Amino acid sequence: MKKMLLLVIVFVSLTGCAVWRTPSIARIALLAPFEGRYRDIGYSAIYPARLALKDGGLSHLELVAVDDGGTLQTAQDRARALLLDETIKAVMVLGYDSADEAVQSVFGDMPIIIIGEWASTPASDHIFMLTNPQISTLLTDSTRIDITDASAVDVPFIGGEVFALPSYPELRQNLDEIQIITSGALASPEFADRLIASDIYVPPPTHLSLLVYDATRLLGQVIPRPDITREGVYQALRDVDYMGEGGRIAFDENGYWIDAPIYTYMYENGVLVAAD
């Protein structure tokens, strides 16, 4: 009888341990700058990501926002830390340092979605690019440009994501003859109102906010349960066909957004508007 009781206790203990170890929640990370001159990038992304989780009823997913530290070295360090956390199934990335090929390589087999054009290309087949690959060929200068240098460029000029950041008009008096090319769509008034009402201190959406929202909802589709592996998420992203707020998202064999849009913007009275 004592032997039988001991076996029952051992069984219950093992079962309890198994239940405790079963993940009840999965995590997705957002790696972007949240401090310094590029903090607009991080704060324009975190709130749309949170709204997407809420709108999608994705209670099994948790968002982890990580500041990239403002340098390539710190971004690599943050990537290593995220890779070690087995609950994190995928990472959304924005910003020059976070999207750099050297940081991509640190992530190893982690599925990564890079949102926007950040003067980088996929370093592995686990990298997915939410941008049109033709954009870099249309820019006046396709290399990385610091926002302070961008404020002093000679016009006419065709620029990328940095030229569309909310802080850019504050650095330059004359915004005439500057065009911005991106795959990010301006948010509708309805989306902007919902986003701003979703939390306190929410900034107005930028041209990349809607893409972040769609990327988060997409990840909710390919991460249907907490125990899915990163390899499972990667395979699902290879085959995904998702209709988001900004249109259809699917990826080609090189990891780029199939039929990704190209939008052209300009400034009117300091406000980003669609170019004629």
Side-chain angles (χ1 to χ4, degrees), residues 167-179:
S167 57
Y168 182 72
E170 300 172 3
L171 300 174
R172 187 182 183 109
Q173 275 191 319
N174 185 6
L175 296 166
D176 295 340
E177 297 186 90
I178 291 178
Q179 287 188 326

Side-chain angles (χ1 to χ4, degrees), residues 14-43:
L14 291 175
T15 304
C17 289
V19 171
W20 182 81
R21 289 176 181 172
T22 301
S24 60
I25 197 166
R27 291 178 172 178
I28 55 175
L30 171 63
L31 180 64
F34 284 91
E35 300 291 339
R37 69 187 68 174
Y38 294 112
R39 61 185 177 276
D40 289 347
I41 297 172
Y43 286 105

Side-chain angles (χ1 to χ4, degrees), residues 104-204:
Q104 294 180 34
S105 299
V106 170
F107 273 119
D109 64 351
M110 180 80 77
I112 305 296
I113 298 179
I114 296 178
I115 301 171
E117 162 58 46
W118 300 106
S120 64
T121 56
S124 75
D125 61 359
H126 281 64
I127 310 297
F128 299 89
M129 309 288 285
L130 272 182
T131 187
N132 190 307
Q134 297 302 314
I135 287 178
S136 62
T137 67
L138 302 175
L139 302 177
T140 300
D141 186 347
S142 62
T143 60
R144 171 174 176 165
I145 183 168
D146 186 272
I147 193 168
T148 53
D149 294 334
S151 67
V153 296
D154 294 329
V155 293
F157 195 91
I158 301 174
E161 317 296 1
V162 163
F163 290 81
L165 294 179
S167 57
Y168 182 72
E170 300 172 3
L171 300 174
R172 187 182 183 109
Q173 275 191 319
N174 185 6
L175 296 166
D176 295 340
E177 297 186 90
I178 291 178
Q179 287 188 326
I180 296 100
I181 294 181
T182 176
S183 288
L186 295 179
S188 67
E190 184 273 335
F191 180 84
D193 289 344
R194 285 201 302 116
L195 179 64
I196 292 171
S198 67
D199 208 334
I200 59 173
Y201 310 123
V202 180

Side-chain angles (χ1 to χ4, degrees), residues 50-134:
R50 288 175 177 173
L51 180 62
L53 293 178
K54 180 181 177 181
D55 286 352
L58 304 174
S59 58
H60 67 291
L61 280 183
E62 184 178 88
L63 179 69
V64 178
V66 179
D67 175 36
D68 67 11
T71 70
L72 184 58
Q73 181 61 57
T74 54
Q76 289 176 298
D77 292 340
R78 309 295 157 80
R80 290 188 186 95
L82 290 170
L83 184 64
L84 292 174
D85 187 342
E86 295 182 358
T87 66
I88 294 176
K89 308 298 182 178
V91 180
M92 296 182 291
V93 165
L94 295 91
Y96 284 131
D97 292 318
S98 299
D100 192 277
E101 286 90 344
V103 178
Q104 294 180 34
S105 299
V106 170
F107 273 119
D109 64 351
M110 180 80 77
I112 305 296
I113 298 179
I114 296 178
I115 301 171
E117 162 58 46
W118 300 106
S120 64
T121 56
S124 75
D125 61 359
H126 281 64
I127 310 297
F128 299 89
M129 309 288 285
L130 272 182
T131 187
N132 190 307
Q134 297 302 314

